[in-house]
Amino acid sequence: MTLADARERLVQADIIAPTGGGHGFPVWLPFGTLIAERLEEIYLEELAGATSFELIRMPALLDSAQYRAALAARHHEYRNMYELELDGREALARPDNLAPAAAAIVSRQLSVPLVAQGSLYRAVTGALRPLVLDRHVWRATQVVHRVDAGEIEAAMELHLHVCSRLLKRLGLPALWVDKPALARHSKRSVFAYLCPSEDEVVGGATTFELDDALVACLGLSGGVLDFGFTARLIACVAAVHGDRSGFLCTSSLAPNCVVVGARRPADRGLAHRLAERLGENMSRVAINDGAWHRTLRINRRRGTPVLVLVDGASASQLITRFDDESVPLPEDAASAVADALARHDAVLASRAESLLNAAIRLEQSVRLLSRGASAEGWFLNGTVRAVGDVDDRLKDEWDFFARRRRQR
Amino acid sequence: MSNNASQSELAAALREAGVGRLSDSLILPIADRGPRYAASCRVRFHGRYIRMWIRVADVPFDVLPATMRPLTPSRSGSFFTLGPGFTSTGDEHPAVLHLQIEGSQAEVDERAAAVRPLINELSEIRQVRLSTHPERWNRMCVAALAQG
């Protein structure tokens, strides 16, 4: 499924409203906001496991003149930003966090990564993609990390490692590409490319080492890394894992990885007790004791990994979303549910890897990018690299890809 | 929830009370069938000036697109958005709450009572009730400022 097709899955799963607030302004529905927040939580968990950091709330409006001055070192087009007239002053609805993050680093003398999460407002030229190049990116995570010049390599490795852990927990294997300098912006960058389908490659996360002139213009010194991703990753998850029944995601991303339902009203007490028991061993276990057929329908299209149907009159059932299989719930329910979740994640990871490998083998999407036909305007003109704890099979595919490129 | 509760605590408490969170946007295009806020401002975009809705702690508003069957009994529920916006005096504020409750009169009353203790903790509360017919469909809009 391509990223454009994924929009249908997101609507089907109650993640975004069928129509938004106007061109490029999607409306995220309650279930969608839970998923987007979960995405941010996973990232912060992984970052916290790797290093200490500061989470800062950035102002929603940036003074236009100050913003232009801070980024004067780079060529930039401001026409795609929203400039508000407020009581005689002009302010930009925050197009990115780089300038305010640099100001915060200077004023607070920060040497740890600074993390900003929230909305960004800007139009991106090129073909619009769902939740990707929207004018209002409701949830974006941007990390700005200033280090001494000699520590830049280690900092780059750290952020790539954290990103690879995030993508792994989303079940999204990536093709990591070292890319050359971007004039007046970055000395180098590393892109994590994702394959929503065999013939489509899209950027999933970016890490830039900023150009010295831009660093100086921002009032900083040393090396500066700028890492970011947006809720477009959720569209990638929908495209890679979604099926005819709807959305599908790993147990890490699911707001509820287990939902317990009751066959009849008389079974509700049993269902609550089982949910409590399961909750002692795992997080994000929910109870839904409404009509079972509705619970099943909603959770199937929202991609809840495991459902448990409590039936006091006969055998309770364990239902796995990835294969729609229903089996009697074993006596040791906690172990059975944990096993089912592990199988669910393993199957999703394996399917996604196969998709990425097929895309690399076909090279169709890569050729498209080489010709510059990508709607996003990204060019795969870098060097493929290994990041994080990739397994040997995936590494073999990358080596194969790199050899083919060298032969040309 | 204390008076100094953070945005995330307020969001969690509202969700606990059965209110669904929607995405918030500082600005919105003025569209026939899109969501709307109580105020608008002039915005320059792609070299020309347009008017856009601007998120302000005032009523009335509609946080859902009009394509989602408004003014009908089938659109029943309670939703909130929480994020940056402006106070009624035009100052920027990091945590403007928009709470919208829809349904029959009884449904709206019941849901409003469930969230009232949470709302009473906030400042600059403004509210309005709209109705096509009290027994059939009502919308209650509450705007307030939460702890930044």
Side-chain angles (χ1 to χ4, degrees):
Chain A
M1 186 193 308
T2 66
L3 207 57
D5 298 331
R7 188 177 187 94
E8 198 181 314
R9 291 282 176 277
L10 299 174
V11 170
Q12 187 184 3
D14 311 318
I15 291 174
I16 57 171
T19 57
H23 190 58
F25 283 73
V27 171
W28 290 68
L29 297 174
F31 180 65
T33 58
L34 282 172
I35 291 245
E37 287 171 18
R38 183 75 201 127
L39 174 66
E40 291 178 347
E41 282 168 17
I42 296 172
Y43 175 73
L44 294 181
E45 283 170 18
E46 292 300 335
L47 186 62
T51 185
S52 53
F53 64 90
E54 286 253 359
L55 186 62
I56 292 187
R57 185 173 296 137
M58 294 296 176
L61 287 174
L62 307 179
D63 181 87
S64 294
Q66 285 176 15
Y67 182 84
R68 284 180 166 88
L71 297 174
R74 69 178 185 187
H75 280 305
H76 205 76
E77 175 61 74
Y78 295 93
R79 288 163 53 87
N80 66 335
M81 298 176 186
Y82 292 91
E83 193 161 30
L84 284 64
E85 280 192 347
L86 300 161
D87 297 333
R89 70 184 173 106
E90 290 184 331
L92 290 165
R94 185 178 55 211
D96 66 64
N97 294 297
L98 190 53
I105 288 170
V106 170
S107 68
R108 299 172 60 168
Q109 295 286 302
L110 285 177
S111 58
V112 294
L114 187 151
V115 182
Q117 295 180 316
S119 290
L120 302 180
Y121 302 86
R122 64 183 179 205
V124 179
T125 48
L128 280 178
R129 302 281 181 90
L131 295 178
V132 177
L133 305 178
D134 288 315
R135 293 174 175 184
H136 173 215
V137 181
W138 180 59
R139 286 284 181 172
T141 294
Q142 189 171 359
V143 181
V144 181
H145 191 183
R146 194 211 70 80
V147 294
D148 291 336
E151 296 169 3
I152 196 79
E153 204 53 51
M156 176 71 92
E157 283 302 322
L158 180 140
H159 290 290
L160 295 181
H161 171 75
V162 170
C163 182
S164 79
R165 294 280 310 157
L166 165 73
L167 294 177
K168 190 166 187 174
R169 287 180 67 180
L170 301 182
L172 293 176
L175 185 68
W176 298 85
V177 179
D178 266 318
K179 295 169 75 69
L182 266 174
R184 297 192 184 191
H185 177 266
S186 54
K187 291 183 192 174
R188 61 170 175 157
S189 53
V190 180
F191 279 54
Y193 284 106
L194 308 170
C195 290
S197 64
E198 286 184 3
D199 54 4
E200 185 178 34
V201 173
V202 296
T206 54
T207 312
F208 296 101
E209 181 189 348
L210 298 185
D211 186 75
D212 290 340
L214 180 56
V215 170
C217 200
L218 287 165
L220 300 171
S221 60
V224 178
L225 291 177
D226 177 9
F227 164 78
F229 66 89
T230 72
R232 75 183 296 179
L233 287 178
I234 295 169
C236 291
V237 168
V240 170
H241 298 304
D243 58 18
R244 263 184 253 168
S245 299
F247 188 67
L248 192 52
C249 65
T250 57
S251 60
S252 276
L253 184 61
N256 296 315
C257 45
V258 183
V259 170
V260 180
R263 171 79 76 187
R264 285 170 285 272
D267 299 323
R268 285 176 185 165
L270 271 177
H272 278 269
R273 282 197 291 280
L274 177 63
E276 269 174 35
R277 225 168 61 227
L278 293 175
E280 289 166 8
N281 298 306
M282 59 189 75
S283 56
R284 289 177 289 120
V285 177
I287 178 88
N288 189 332
D289 58 9
W292 169 248
H293 67 276
R294 192 169 177 274
T295 302
L296 181 65
R297 194 178 68 237
I298 290 174
N299 284 284
R300 190 174 275 161
R301 71 169 191 253
R302 290 182 175 182
T304 303
V306 169
L307 289 171
V308 178
L309 169 63
V310 173
D311 188 338
S314 61
S316 296
Q317 297 289 308
L318 177 74
I319 301 155
T320 42
R321 171 65 177 79
F322 71 91
D323 57 2
D324 274 338
E325 198 175 84
S326 173
V327 296
L329 182 70
E331 203 161 305
D332 185 356
S335 297
V337 168
D339 288 348
L341 289 173
R343 267 188 301 127
H344 172 91
D345 289 345
V347 167
L348 262 56
S350 163
R351 284 180 190 167
E353 260 182 37
S354 303
L355 188 62
L356 178 67
N357 292 343
I360 292 171
R361 285 229 159 95
L362 267 178
E363 288 194 85
Q364 195 173 341
S365 38
V366 174
R367 280 202 305 274
L368 271 176
L369 286 162
S370 303
R371 285 203 302 268
S374 161
E376 290 182 64
W378 299 122
F379 294 86
L380 203 56
N381 57 346
T383 314
V384 176
R385 65 183 280 165
V387 170
D389 51 350
V390 293
D391 67 31
D392 289 341
R393 281 177 302 132
L394 206 53
K395 181 71 172 57
D396 287 346
E397 295 294 338
W398 289 346
D399 289 343
F400 165 82
F401 175 76
R403 279 199 305 278
R404 292 288 292 267
R405 281 185 62 82
R406 278 198 297 274
Q407 283 165 12
R408 286 192 209 119
Chain B
M1 197 185 70
S2 79
N3 211 12
N4 292 320
S6 69
Q7 275 196 52
S8 55
E9 284 172 330
L10 174 62
L14 284 167
R15 277 178 169 147
E16 189 69 21
V19 189
R21 184 175 195 169
L22 304 173
S23 54
D24 59 284
S25 184
L26 182 72
I27 47 174
L28 278 175
I30 297 179
D32 284 346
R33 298 166 72 78
R36 55 161 299 162
Y37 296 144
S40 66
C41 80
R42 218 161 83 108
V43 177
R44 189 162 68 194
F45 180 64
H46 276 304
R48 66 193 184 95
Y49 285 95
I50 51 175
R51 282 204 84 78
M52 295 186 81
W53 295 120
I54 187 155
R55 200 160 187 280
V56 61
D58 202 355
V59 290
F61 53 77
D62 187 353
V63 293
L64 282 166
T67 45
M68 297 184 75
R69 296 175 294 184
L71 314 175
T72 65
S74 64
R75 191 164 124 179
S76 158
S78 47
F79 308 94
F80 76 96
T81 67
L82 182 58
F86 293 87
T87 64
S88 53
T89 53
D91 298 322
E92 195 186 339
H93 194 281
V96 172
L97 173 74
H98 281 170
L99 170 69
Q100 180 166 319
I101 305 175
E102 295 178 328
S104 68
Q105 193 167 30
E107 285 170 333
V108 171
D109 288 344
E110 187 185 330
R111 288 175 184 144
V115 297
R116 183 59 61 196
L118 300 173
I119 302 302
N120 287 344
E121 299 269 349
L122 308 177
S123 58
E124 288 198 33
I125 304 164
R126 286 163 188 253
Q127 62 181 50
V128 69
R129 197 158 182 151
L130 311 168
S131 173
T132 51
H133 186 289
E135 291 307 311
R136 289 172 59 196
W137 188 85
N138 293 249
R139 175 193 297 154
M140 184 176 171
C141 299
V142 180
L145 300 180
Q147 191 75 24

